[in-house]
Amino acid sequence: MSLFRDDGIVLRTQKLGEADRIITLLTRGHGRVRAVARGVRRTKSKFGARLEPFSHVDVQFFARGSELIGRGLPLCTQSETIAPYGGGIVTDYGRYTAGTAMLETAERFTDHEGEPAVQQYLLLVGALRTLARGEHAPNLVLDAFLLRSLAVNGYAPSFGDCARCGMPGPNRFFSVASGGSVCVDCRVPGSVVPSPGTLVLLGALLTGDWETADACEARFVREGSGLVSAYLHWHLERGLRSLRYVEKS
């Protein structure tokens, strides 16, 4: 029997029995972890209120054996709130749908339990903090998070130089299958011709140039979100369920 302590973001919860829940977290040191939280669905449980999606928490786990991830699920025995991001997210539809898509993305990119994913964890913490504070439009925060998640997982798109031959940009065409912007000689069937302003916006979101991103026209934002969604879908091999609600918002 071993005790483990880590901090993480609650990604989702599932009912278990009459009073328990299975909590899925993205942690700093252990990557994605699923654990059982006993009694958290009881009305008098203060413990359960700390383990809601979007919460940034310090958690103690109790596991059998010397490893956190092993036979059976560990128990979540203690939790302290680091930052209750949900309070600034769930009361606004745009923030809530964007935040839900972020949680789903983080879970999809960390499909092996117990493997550290520090960059993905830090991206999620920063994105939820920004979203909860309302510093930028929710769809811009989401697209920035999606692009950077793709980048840290080895799928960084190009929005300037040709993704195939490296020809300096700007280049007119964009191919999801080719990795982003492509020149006229490297374009493939299915390539699209986005507005130059859209590529500028996406490049700004990827690099964190919020002054440029915040000043972009709405038509570039809409077109950019479509390209980000298609690019993410291609690399995940199936889309995010939560994105359909973001697109309608």
Side-chain angles (χ1 to χ4, degrees):
M1 302 292 186
S2 303
L3 287 176
F4 298 86
R5 199 168 194 96
D6 209 339
D7 55 88
I9 296 288
V10 179
L11 301 179
R12 63 188 174 97
T13 65
Q14 299 166 266
K15 293 180 180 179
L16 180 65
E18 295 184 356
D20 306 336
R21 278 194 180 127
I22 297 175
I23 312 295
T24 302
L25 305 102
L26 178 57
T27 66
R28 180 189 294 270
H30 297 88
R32 184 164 63 87
V33 173
R34 289 188 308 143
V36 174
R38 296 271 176 82
V40 295
R41 289 167 55 203
R42 295 193 179 102
T43 56
K44 294 182 180 180
S45 174
K46 296 180 180 179
F47 181 37
R50 302 176 192 140
L51 293 173
E52 293 293 331
F54 306 113
S55 295
H56 189 195
V57 290
D58 181 300
V59 186
Q60 180 174 278
F61 301 104
F62 182 73
R64 295 177 179 178
S66 60
E67 300 291 334
L68 176 59
I69 305 300
R71 293 179 300 173
L73 297 179
L75 294 178
C76 179
T77 57
Q78 192 175 31
S79 173
E80 297 295 336
T81 299
I82 297 174
Y85 295 130
I89 294 175
V90 299
T91 56
D92 179 88
Y93 182 77
R95 294 183 196 176
Y96 176 73
T97 53
T100 300
M102 290 177 190
L103 299 186
E104 186 181 353
T105 300
E107 185 168 2
R108 291 283 295 278
F109 273 124
T110 54
D111 53 350
H112 297 294
E113 290 188 31
E115 291 187 3
V118 178
Q119 287 182 298
Q120 186 67 68
Y121 165 79
L122 294 175
L123 274 177
L124 183 59
V125 172
L128 292 179
R129 181 190 303 121
T130 300
L131 192 65
R133 292 175 177 173
E135 296 175 359
H136 308 283
N139 52 344
L140 290 180
V141 178
L142 172 60
D143 285 343
F145 173 76
L146 297 179
L147 289 171
R148 295 177 199 179
S149 293
L150 285 159
V152 301
N153 285 281
Y155 306 119
S158 172
F159 298 118
D161 297 347
C162 178
R164 303 190 73 180
C165 71
M167 178 179 177
N171 287 290
R172 291 182 56 209
F173 301 95
F174 188 91
S175 168
V176 168
S178 298
S181 294
V182 289
C183 65
V184 64
D185 294 327
C186 292
R187 64 175 174 168
V188 295
S191 297
V192 296
V193 185
S195 302
T198 299
L199 296 179
V200 170
L201 166 64
L202 295 179
L205 292 175
L206 181 60
T207 59
D209 180 2
W210 284 106
E211 183 177 355
T212 296
D214 288 336
C216 277
E217 297 179 30
R219 59 194 178 102
F220 299 147
V221 175
R222 287 192 296 271
E223 186 177 40
S225 292
L227 292 180
V228 173
S229 177
Y231 195 84
L232 182 72
H233 191 165
W234 174 268
H235 287 288
L236 288 179
E237 299 181 351
R238 56 189 173 96
L240 299 178
R241 290 173 298 175
S242 49
L243 270 186
R244 70 188 70 172
Y245 302 107
V246 175
E247 292 166 353
K248 291 178 182 178
S249 62

